[in-house]
Short mmCIF file of all heavy atoms in Angstrom, two decimals:
data_model
loop_
_atom_site.label_atom_id
_atom_site.label_comp_id
_atom_site.label_asym_id
_atom_site.label_seq_id
_atom_site.Cartn_x
_atom_site.Cartn_y
_atom_site.Cartn_z
N LEU A 122 15.89 -6.48 5.16
CA LEU A 122 15.10 -7.70 5.08
C LEU A 122 16.02 -8.89 4.82
O LEU A 122 16.63 -9.01 3.76
CB LEU A 122 14.06 -7.57 3.97
CG LEU A 122 13.01 -8.67 3.86
CD1 LEU A 122 12.23 -8.80 5.17
CD2 LEU A 122 12.06 -8.39 2.70
N LEU A 123 16.10 -9.78 5.81
CA LEU A 123 17.01 -10.92 5.73
C LEU A 123 16.41 -12.04 4.89
O LEU A 123 15.18 -12.12 4.72
CB LEU A 123 17.32 -11.42 7.14
CG LEU A 123 17.94 -10.39 8.09
CD1 LEU A 123 18.18 -11.01 9.46
CD2 LEU A 123 19.23 -9.82 7.52
N PRO A 124 17.25 -12.92 4.36
CA PRO A 124 16.75 -14.01 3.51
C PRO A 124 15.73 -14.89 4.24
O PRO A 124 15.91 -15.24 5.41
CB PRO A 124 18.01 -14.81 3.17
CG PRO A 124 19.13 -13.83 3.30
CD PRO A 124 18.73 -12.93 4.43
N GLY A 125 14.62 -15.17 3.54
CA GLY A 125 13.59 -16.04 4.10
C GLY A 125 12.70 -15.40 5.14
O GLY A 125 11.81 -16.07 5.69
N GLN A 126 12.85 -14.11 5.40
CA GLN A 126 12.09 -13.45 6.46
C GLN A 126 10.85 -12.76 5.91
O GLN A 126 10.81 -12.34 4.76
CB GLN A 126 12.97 -12.45 7.21
CG GLN A 126 14.16 -13.09 7.92
CD GLN A 126 13.73 -14.00 9.04
OE1 GLN A 126 13.11 -13.58 10.01
NE2 GLN A 126 14.05 -15.30 8.92
N ARG A 127 9.85 -12.64 6.76
CA ARG A 127 8.58 -11.99 6.43
C ARG A 127 8.31 -10.91 7.47
O ARG A 127 8.38 -11.18 8.68
CB ARG A 127 7.46 -13.03 6.43
CG ARG A 127 6.04 -12.46 6.28
CD ARG A 127 5.01 -13.55 6.53
NE ARG A 127 5.13 -14.60 5.53
CZ ARG A 127 4.43 -14.64 4.41
NH1 ARG A 127 3.53 -13.68 4.15
NH2 ARG A 127 4.58 -15.62 3.55
N VAL A 128 8.00 -9.69 7.01
CA VAL A 128 7.74 -8.58 7.93
C VAL A 128 6.45 -7.88 7.53
O VAL A 128 6.08 -7.85 6.35
CB VAL A 128 8.91 -7.57 7.95
CG1 VAL A 128 10.18 -8.23 8.44
CG2 VAL A 128 9.12 -6.95 6.58
N ARG A 129 5.77 -7.34 8.51
CA ARG A 129 4.54 -6.57 8.30
C ARG A 129 4.85 -5.11 8.58
O ARG A 129 5.22 -4.74 9.71
CB ARG A 129 3.44 -7.07 9.23
CG ARG A 129 2.08 -6.40 9.04
CD ARG A 129 1.46 -6.79 7.72
NE ARG A 129 0.11 -6.25 7.58
CZ ARG A 129 -0.60 -6.34 6.46
NH1 ARG A 129 -0.08 -6.95 5.40
NH2 ARG A 129 -1.80 -5.84 6.37
N LEU A 130 4.68 -4.26 7.56
CA LEU A 130 5.06 -2.86 7.67
C LEU A 130 3.87 -1.95 7.42
O LEU A 130 2.86 -2.37 6.83
CB LEU A 130 6.17 -2.53 6.66
CG LEU A 130 7.44 -3.39 6.73
CD1 LEU A 130 8.40 -3.02 5.61
CD2 LEU A 130 8.12 -3.26 8.09
N THR A 131 3.99 -0.71 7.84
CA THR A 131 2.98 0.31 7.56
C THR A 131 3.66 1.52 6.94
O THR A 131 4.82 1.81 7.23
CB THR A 131 2.23 0.72 8.84
OG1 THR A 131 3.18 1.20 9.81
CG2 THR A 131 1.47 -0.44 9.43
N GLU A 132 2.91 2.20 6.11
CA GLU A 132 3.42 3.39 5.43
C GLU A 132 2.40 4.52 5.56
O GLU A 132 1.23 4.38 5.17
CB GLU A 132 3.64 3.08 3.94
CG GLU A 132 4.16 4.25 3.13
CD GLU A 132 5.62 4.56 3.43
OE1 GLU A 132 6.28 3.74 4.09
OE2 GLU A 132 6.09 5.63 3.01
N PRO A 133 2.79 5.66 6.16
CA PRO A 133 1.86 6.78 6.22
C PRO A 133 1.46 7.24 4.82
O PRO A 133 2.28 7.28 3.91
CB PRO A 133 2.66 7.87 6.96
CG PRO A 133 3.75 7.13 7.66
CD PRO A 133 4.08 5.95 6.80
N TRP A 134 0.18 7.59 4.67
CA TRP A 134 -0.33 8.05 3.37
C TRP A 134 -1.17 9.31 3.59
O TRP A 134 -2.38 9.26 3.59
CB TRP A 134 -1.15 6.96 2.69
CG TRP A 134 -1.58 7.29 1.30
CD1 TRP A 134 -0.99 8.16 0.44
CD2 TRP A 134 -2.71 6.75 0.61
NE1 TRP A 134 -1.67 8.20 -0.76
CE2 TRP A 134 -2.72 7.34 -0.68
CE3 TRP A 134 -3.68 5.83 0.94
CZ2 TRP A 134 -3.71 7.03 -1.62
CZ3 TRP A 134 -4.66 5.51 0.01
CH2 TRP A 134 -4.66 6.11 -1.27
N PRO A 135 -0.51 10.44 3.80
CA PRO A 135 -1.26 11.66 4.06
C PRO A 135 -2.09 12.13 2.87
O PRO A 135 -2.98 12.95 3.03
CB PRO A 135 -0.16 12.68 4.40
CG PRO A 135 1.08 12.14 3.76
CD PRO A 135 0.95 10.64 3.82
N GLY A 136 -1.81 11.61 1.68
CA GLY A 136 -2.58 12.00 0.50
C GLY A 136 -3.82 11.17 0.27
O GLY A 136 -4.47 11.29 -0.78
N ALA A 137 -4.18 10.30 1.20
CA ALA A 137 -5.38 9.47 1.03
C ALA A 137 -6.62 10.34 0.91
O ALA A 137 -6.78 11.31 1.65
CB ALA A 137 -5.52 8.51 2.21
N PRO A 138 -7.52 10.04 -0.03
CA PRO A 138 -8.72 10.87 -0.19
C PRO A 138 -9.69 10.65 0.96
O PRO A 138 -9.56 9.69 1.73
CB PRO A 138 -9.31 10.37 -1.52
CG PRO A 138 -8.85 8.96 -1.61
CD PRO A 138 -7.48 8.93 -1.00
N VAL A 139 -10.67 11.54 1.07
CA VAL A 139 -11.72 11.38 2.08
C VAL A 139 -13.01 10.88 1.47
O VAL A 139 -13.96 10.54 2.18
CB VAL A 139 -11.97 12.72 2.81
CG1 VAL A 139 -10.74 13.14 3.59
CG2 VAL A 139 -12.37 13.82 1.82
N PHE A 140 -13.08 10.85 0.12
CA PHE A 140 -14.29 10.36 -0.54
C PHE A 140 -13.91 9.76 -1.89
O PHE A 140 -13.06 10.29 -2.61
CB PHE A 140 -15.29 11.52 -0.76
CG PHE A 140 -16.57 11.08 -1.41
CD1 PHE A 140 -17.55 10.45 -0.66
CD2 PHE A 140 -16.77 11.27 -2.76
CE1 PHE A 140 -18.73 10.04 -1.26
CE2 PHE A 140 -17.94 10.86 -3.36
CZ PHE A 140 -18.93 10.24 -2.61
N GLY A 141 -14.52 8.63 -2.20
CA GLY A 141 -14.32 8.01 -3.50
C GLY A 141 -13.62 6.66 -3.40
O GLY A 141 -13.16 6.24 -2.34
N ARG A 142 -13.53 6.01 -4.55
CA ARG A 142 -12.87 4.71 -4.63
C ARG A 142 -11.49 4.89 -5.26
O ARG A 142 -11.35 5.60 -6.26
CB ARG A 142 -13.71 3.74 -5.48
CG ARG A 142 -13.14 2.33 -5.57
CD ARG A 142 -14.07 1.44 -6.38
NE ARG A 142 -13.57 0.08 -6.45
CZ ARG A 142 -12.67 -0.36 -7.32
NH1 ARG A 142 -12.18 0.47 -8.21
NH2 ARG A 142 -12.29 -1.63 -7.31
N VAL A 143 -10.48 4.22 -4.69
CA VAL A 143 -9.10 4.38 -5.14
C VAL A 143 -8.48 3.01 -5.35
O VAL A 143 -8.66 2.10 -4.53
CB VAL A 143 -8.27 5.18 -4.11
CG1 VAL A 143 -6.80 5.22 -4.52
CG2 VAL A 143 -8.80 6.60 -3.98
N ALA A 144 -7.75 2.85 -6.47
CA ALA A 144 -6.95 1.66 -6.73
C ALA A 144 -5.51 1.97 -6.37
O ALA A 144 -4.93 2.95 -6.86
CB ALA A 144 -7.07 1.24 -8.18
N LEU A 145 -4.93 1.16 -5.51
CA LEU A 145 -3.61 1.43 -4.94
C LEU A 145 -2.62 0.36 -5.41
O LEU A 145 -2.93 -0.83 -5.39
CB LEU A 145 -3.70 1.41 -3.42
CG LEU A 145 -2.61 2.12 -2.62
CD1 LEU A 145 -2.67 3.62 -2.88
CD2 LEU A 145 -2.80 1.84 -1.14
N THR A 146 -1.43 0.81 -5.85
CA THR A 146 -0.37 -0.11 -6.28
C THR A 146 0.92 0.23 -5.56
O THR A 146 1.38 1.37 -5.59
CB THR A 146 -0.14 -0.02 -7.80
OG1 THR A 146 -1.37 -0.31 -8.47
CG2 THR A 146 0.93 -1.01 -8.24
N LEU A 147 1.50 -0.77 -4.89
CA LEU A 147 2.77 -0.63 -4.21
C LEU A 147 3.85 -1.31 -5.05
O LEU A 147 3.69 -2.46 -5.45
CB LEU A 147 2.73 -1.27 -2.82
CG LEU A 147 2.19 -0.42 -1.66
CD1 LEU A 147 0.73 -0.06 -1.90
CD2 LEU A 147 2.34 -1.18 -0.35
N THR A 148 4.94 -0.59 -5.28
CA THR A 148 6.07 -1.15 -6.02
C THR A 148 7.30 -1.11 -5.11
O THR A 148 7.68 -0.05 -4.62
CB THR A 148 6.34 -0.35 -7.31
OG1 THR A 148 5.18 -0.37 -8.13
CG2 THR A 148 7.50 -0.97 -8.08
N VAL A 149 7.89 -2.28 -4.90
CA VAL A 149 9.07 -2.39 -4.03
C VAL A 149 10.23 -2.91 -4.87
O VAL A 149 10.10 -3.91 -5.58
CB VAL A 149 8.80 -3.34 -2.84
CG1 VAL A 149 10.04 -3.44 -1.96
CG2 VAL A 149 7.62 -2.84 -2.03
N THR A 150 11.36 -2.22 -4.80
CA THR A 150 12.57 -2.63 -5.50
C THR A 150 13.72 -2.72 -4.49
O THR A 150 13.65 -2.18 -3.38
CB THR A 150 12.93 -1.62 -6.60
OG1 THR A 150 13.10 -0.32 -6.01
CG2 THR A 150 11.84 -1.55 -7.67
N ALA A 151 14.78 -3.41 -4.90
CA ALA A 151 15.97 -3.55 -4.05
C ALA A 151 17.17 -3.79 -4.95
O ALA A 151 17.02 -4.30 -6.07
CB ALA A 151 15.79 -4.69 -3.05
N PRO A 152 18.37 -3.42 -4.51
CA PRO A 152 19.57 -3.69 -5.30
C PRO A 152 19.69 -5.17 -5.64
O PRO A 152 19.32 -6.03 -4.85
CB PRO A 152 20.71 -3.24 -4.38
CG PRO A 152 20.08 -2.21 -3.48
CD PRO A 152 18.67 -2.67 -3.27
N GLY A 153 20.20 -5.43 -6.83
CA GLY A 153 20.30 -6.80 -7.30
C GLY A 153 19.21 -7.19 -8.26
O GLY A 153 19.15 -8.34 -8.70
N GLY A 154 18.31 -6.24 -8.59
CA GLY A 154 17.25 -6.52 -9.56
C GLY A 154 15.95 -6.99 -8.95
O GLY A 154 15.03 -7.38 -9.68
N ALA A 155 15.81 -6.95 -7.64
CA ALA A 155 14.55 -7.38 -7.02
C ALA A 155 13.47 -6.34 -7.28
O ALA A 155 13.69 -5.13 -7.12
CB ALA A 155 14.75 -7.58 -5.53
N ARG A 156 12.29 -6.81 -7.68
CA ARG A 156 11.16 -5.92 -7.95
C ARG A 156 9.87 -6.71 -7.74
O ARG A 156 9.74 -7.85 -8.20
CB ARG A 156 11.21 -5.36 -9.37
CG ARG A 156 10.02 -4.45 -9.71
CD ARG A 156 10.08 -4.00 -11.16
NE ARG A 156 8.92 -3.22 -11.54
CZ ARG A 156 8.80 -1.92 -11.37
NH1 ARG A 156 9.81 -1.24 -10.85
NH2 ARG A 156 7.70 -1.28 -11.75
N ALA A 157 8.91 -6.09 -7.05
CA ALA A 157 7.63 -6.74 -6.81
C ALA A 157 6.56 -5.66 -6.63
O ALA A 157 6.86 -4.53 -6.23
CB ALA A 157 7.68 -7.64 -5.58
N THR A 158 5.31 -6.02 -6.94
CA THR A 158 4.19 -5.10 -6.77
C THR A 158 3.07 -5.79 -6.00
O THR A 158 2.93 -7.01 -6.02
CB THR A 158 3.64 -4.62 -8.12
OG1 THR A 158 3.20 -5.77 -8.88
CG2 THR A 158 4.69 -3.87 -8.90
N GLY A 159 2.29 -4.99 -5.32
CA GLY A 159 1.09 -5.45 -4.63
C GLY A 159 0.02 -4.40 -4.81
O GLY A 159 0.31 -3.20 -4.87
N ALA A 160 -1.24 -4.83 -4.91
CA ALA A 160 -2.32 -3.89 -5.20
C ALA A 160 -3.54 -4.18 -4.33
O ALA A 160 -3.73 -5.30 -3.85
CB ALA A 160 -2.69 -3.96 -6.68
N THR A 161 -4.35 -3.15 -4.16
CA THR A 161 -5.63 -3.28 -3.49
C THR A 161 -6.49 -2.10 -3.91
O THR A 161 -6.02 -1.16 -4.57
CB THR A 161 -5.47 -3.30 -1.95
OG1 THR A 161 -6.72 -3.64 -1.34
CG2 THR A 161 -5.02 -1.95 -1.43
N SER A 162 -7.76 -2.11 -3.54
CA SER A 162 -8.66 -0.98 -3.79
C SER A 162 -9.46 -0.72 -2.52
O SER A 162 -9.67 -1.63 -1.70
CB SER A 162 -9.61 -1.27 -4.96
OG SER A 162 -10.40 -2.42 -4.69
N ALA A 163 -9.89 0.51 -2.35
CA ALA A 163 -10.59 0.87 -1.13
C ALA A 163 -11.58 2.00 -1.41
O ALA A 163 -11.36 2.83 -2.30
CB ALA A 163 -9.60 1.29 -0.05
N TRP A 164 -12.67 1.98 -0.67
CA TRP A 164 -13.66 3.06 -0.70
C TRP A 164 -13.40 3.98 0.48
O TRP A 164 -13.13 3.52 1.59
CB TRP A 164 -15.07 2.51 -0.60
CG TRP A 164 -15.64 2.04 -1.91
CD1 TRP A 164 -15.67 0.77 -2.38
CD2 TRP A 164 -16.26 2.86 -2.89
NE1 TRP A 164 -16.25 0.74 -3.62
CE2 TRP A 164 -16.64 2.01 -3.96
CE3 TRP A 164 -16.53 4.22 -2.99
CZ2 TRP A 164 -17.27 2.49 -5.10
CZ3 TRP A 164 -17.16 4.69 -4.13
CH2 TRP A 164 -17.53 3.84 -5.17
N PHE A 165 -13.52 5.28 0.23
CA PHE A 165 -13.33 6.27 1.28
C PHE A 165 -14.61 7.08 1.42
O PHE A 165 -15.12 7.64 0.44
CB PHE A 165 -12.16 7.21 0.95
CG PHE A 165 -10.83 6.52 0.93
CD1 PHE A 165 -10.34 5.96 -0.24
CD2 PHE A 165 -10.08 6.40 2.08
CE1 PHE A 165 -9.11 5.32 -0.26
CE2 PHE A 165 -8.86 5.77 2.08
CZ PHE A 165 -8.37 5.22 0.90
N LEU A 166 -15.16 7.12 2.63
CA LEU A 166 -16.34 7.92 2.93
C LEU A 166 -16.11 8.66 4.23
O LEU A 166 -15.64 8.07 5.21
CB LEU A 166 -17.58 7.03 3.08
CG LEU A 166 -18.19 6.46 1.80
CD1 LEU A 166 -19.33 5.52 2.17
CD2 LEU A 166 -18.71 7.57 0.90
N PRO A 167 -16.46 9.96 4.27
CA PRO A 167 -16.37 10.66 5.56
C PRO A 167 -17.28 9.98 6.58
O PRO A 167 -18.31 9.41 6.24
CB PRO A 167 -16.87 12.08 5.22
CG PRO A 167 -16.65 12.21 3.75
CD PRO A 167 -16.85 10.84 3.18
N ARG A 168 -16.88 10.03 7.84
CA ARG A 168 -17.63 9.31 8.85
C ARG A 168 -19.06 9.79 8.95
O ARG A 168 -19.99 9.00 9.09
CB ARG A 168 -16.93 9.47 10.20
CG ARG A 168 -15.58 8.78 10.27
CD ARG A 168 -14.99 8.87 11.66
NE ARG A 168 -13.71 8.17 11.72
CZ ARG A 168 -12.98 8.08 12.81
NH1 ARG A 168 -13.40 8.66 13.93
NH2 ARG A 168 -11.83 7.42 12.79
#
């Protein structure tokens, strides 16, 4: 990730539930002391 750049990424999550509500927290770190978190919540229902 270059300075000043913004990227949109995806991460496979094979452990995602098929039913229920889940609170998700992403933690990203990098050498030099960089650390950031992002969160969301989602409902899962079988089709």
Side-chain angles (χ1 to χ4, degrees):
L122 188 58
L123 303 179
Q126 298 294 298
R127 172 189 297 266
V128 298
R129 184 69 175 173
L130 304 176
T131 57
E132 180 72 13
W134 186 24
V139 296
F140 181 79
R142 183 178 182 276
V143 174
L145 201 65
T146 302
L147 274 63
T148 301
V149 180
T150 58
R156 178 184 175 86
T158 59
T161 189
S162 60
W164 277 97
F165 294 90
L166 285 175
R168 293 185 179 180

